[in-house]
Amino acid sequence: MGRKALSEHRMNPSLDPERLSDLDSPLRERVRAAVAAYQQRFGVAPELVVCAPGRVNLIGEHTDYNGFPVLPAAIDREIVVAAKLQHEARIDAVSSAESSPARCSLVEPLQPDPPGSWSNYLKAAVQVLLHYVPEPRGACLLVDASLPAGAGLSSSSALVVGTGVALLALHEQFPPRNELAEQFAAAERFVGTLSGGMDQAISLLAEPGTALRIDFFPLRTRVVPFPSGYRIAVCHSLVRAEKSGHARTAYNRRVWECTLGCRTLAMVLGKGRRLPLTRLADACRYEPSWPLSRFVDALAEVVPSRPVSARELAHSLNVSLDELLPPGPPVVPPEEPLPILARVRHVFEEAERVDQAVEALVRGDVEALGRLMEASHASCRDYYEVSCEALEELVACARSAGAIGPRLTGAGFGGATVQLIPEAAVDAFFATLDATFYRKRLPPGADAGPYRFGFVPSSGVRVVAI
Ligand code: GLA
């Protein structure tokens, strides 16, 4: 498990700016387009362009905020941010995906805008800037995306990382990538989601051609080989999962359910005295020889498999509600029954699957990886309840079309699926999926191309000097 030491990975940890000519052709063209758009909009050339990739998670869903590992890879599509300093003491940003500009004053305290406003992502990035540069200069940014938004591919974290790294680079600040991963994960909570650190870490630390096992608290990474001859295919369910909308509320409820599960487990393991567990994974420190399933069994001795309220839990543990609940306002009222045991079961079993998936990739066993990914999907659907009708149909269509390990990826509640496809079968796979899934869900004649694509894992954020 995460208890094993992980080797440091090879990537150059610095963010040293590259030249345009260092980039491969499709990315070079996207950077050129952003430079031209910037010139047209602001009348000058940008000083630099930052490319921050989106991510797909192969396995390890809803494990990160519980302290367990994840296994994502960077997508070869990204948020592109062109940037230049300006005299005004504020950050102005325009985006090809947004009708109105975003603005953030550098002289007033940072205040969140209404939920759903994209300026909150800009403000999250400015928080990181202020951490490194207490009196920063203003800047004008232009944001372009080759990554679909609301597809569960972490376009929002790529936006925060891309704008934040651009602002830092304008101030000649190039902190180590792993330090930034933690900074950006904390800063993105400005948007109101209690998310873990996977999305920011992979956008910063990904290496081409590999997946990355990421452990948290503290952040550690291990490069995991991706099998040659295969592509990762990502398919949008066409149901948008926005970090600022319904998905945020549903996500935060899952975090709360795990917190309650953790605080209950802390009582159970401490035999009446609460152990200082912050996250479910902390339990492993107290019983290092236990297999993960044993923690679920221990919890099942006091928590019924039906939904149970915090009040009822406190009563059966013989503690007051205040002792059970973490400090601060409850996310869900204490009277509301919650399926805590099912959530905790998903987390521990999923953590075990991440270990097994890493081993499968190391020995090049794609079929074993596929079985683990399918088990992950079933658990996300049945125990964690983050799937939806469109995702189920898409997974079924993908399985019939020969996909290996089709499963939802990211937070769920819509968004995309991930699967592996032999390189030679990618076109046929998409043709079948277009006929069985996309044709009846897209307007007649619409191109499904932007919604499903195949790739090999790409690299983390890059700074390009112009
Ligand atoms: C979102 C969050 C991540 C992670 C996933 C679920 O993408 O931002 O931190 O929790 O959901 O695995």
Side-chain angles (χ1 to χ4, degrees), residues 55 57 60-65 70 152 154 157 188 193 195-200 243 251 410-412:
R55 65 96 189 94
N57 192 17
E61 224 59 89
H62 292 276
T63 47
D64 58 354
Y65 52 84
V70 293
S154 198
S157 296
E188 205 177 311
T193 309
S195 47
M198 165 169 66
D199 306 347
Q200 302 80 4
K243 257 192 190 163
Y251 183 98

Side-chain angles (χ1 to χ4, degrees), residues 110 123 150 162 167 173 192-193 195 223 260 263 319 358-359 361:
L110 283 184
K123 290 181 174 181
L167 291 171
Q173 294 291 313
T193 309
S195 47
V223 167
L260 284 184
R263 295 190 57 98
V319 295
V358 170
E359 285 164 18
L361 276 173

Side-chain angles (χ1 to χ4, degrees), residues 176-186 197 200-202 204-205 219:
R177 288 171 186 256
N178 48 2
E179 183 181 310
L180 280 178
E182 291 185 312
Q183 289 287 336
F184 279 116
Q200 302 80 4
I202 188 69
L204 280 147
L205 294 161
L219 187 81

Side-chain angles (χ1 to χ4, degrees), residues 38-266:
Y38 193 98
Q39 243 155 347
Q40 197 174 21
R41 174 79 193 216
F42 297 110
V44 283
E47 288 169 38
L48 53 89
V49 173
V50 169
C51 306
R55 65 96 189 94
V56 68
N57 192 17
L58 292 176
I59 199 161
E61 224 59 89
H62 292 276
T63 47
D64 58 354
Y65 52 84
N66 287 302
F68 283 116
V70 293
L71 187 60
I75 300 179
D76 67 348
R77 298 182 180 213
E78 65 290 303
I79 297 286
V80 178
V81 184
K84 184 173 168 59
L85 290 170
Q86 68 164 342
H87 291 298
E88 269 71 32
R90 57 165 198 263
I91 311 295
D92 289 308
V94 294
S95 164
S96 56
E98 303 287 341
S99 50
S100 51
R103 182 172 273 197
C104 174
S105 164
L106 295 174
V107 286
E108 286 153 31
L110 283 184
Q111 293 292 344
D113 288 319
S117 167
W118 80 283
S119 53
N120 285 330
Y121 294 106
L122 181 66
K123 290 181 174 181
V126 169
Q127 272 194 335
V128 176
L129 172 67
L130 291 171
H131 175 83
Y132 290 99
V133 187
E135 292 186 16
R137 298 178 59 192
C140 286
L141 310 180
L142 179 135
V143 179
D144 202 3
S146 60
L147 197 62
L153 303 177
S154 198
S155 60
S156 49
S157 296
L159 175 62
V160 177
V161 169
T163 49
V165 168
L167 291 171
L168 288 167
L170 286 174
H171 291 83
E172 291 174 22
Q173 294 291 313
F174 303 100
R177 288 171 186 256
N178 48 2
E179 183 181 310
L180 280 178
E182 291 185 312
Q183 289 287 336
F184 279 116
E188 205 177 311
R189 297 189 160 203
F190 197 84
V191 182
T193 309
L194 304 171
S195 47
M198 165 169 66
D199 306 347
Q200 302 80 4
I202 188 69
S203 190
L204 280 147
L205 294 161
E207 291 195 31
T210 65
L212 200 63
R213 174 186 165 134
I214 308 175
D215 283 69
F216 301 91
F217 313 109
L219 187 81
R220 287 148 295 152
T221 54
R222 172 181 166 187
V223 167
V224 181
F226 184 76
S228 61
Y230 289 88
R231 292 279 182 275
I232 297 177
V234 161
C235 306
H236 194 343
S237 68
L238 306 179
V239 174
R240 282 174 73 94
E242 306 279 4
K243 257 192 190 163
S244 51
H246 154 75
R248 179 181 69 168
T249 314
Y251 183 98
N252 288 349
R253 282 179 72 99
R254 300 298 183 280
V255 178
W256 178 251
E257 288 158 349
C258 289
T259 305
L260 284 184
C262 177
R263 295 190 57 98
T264 308
L265 189 58

Side-chain angles (χ1 to χ4, degrees), residues 260 306-314 324 333-338 340:
L260 284 184
R306 65 175 166 79
V308 55
S309 72
R311 195 174 290 287
E312 198 186 332
L313 262 184
L324 177 66
E335 284 67 39
E336 202 178 314
L338 301 169
I340 290 178

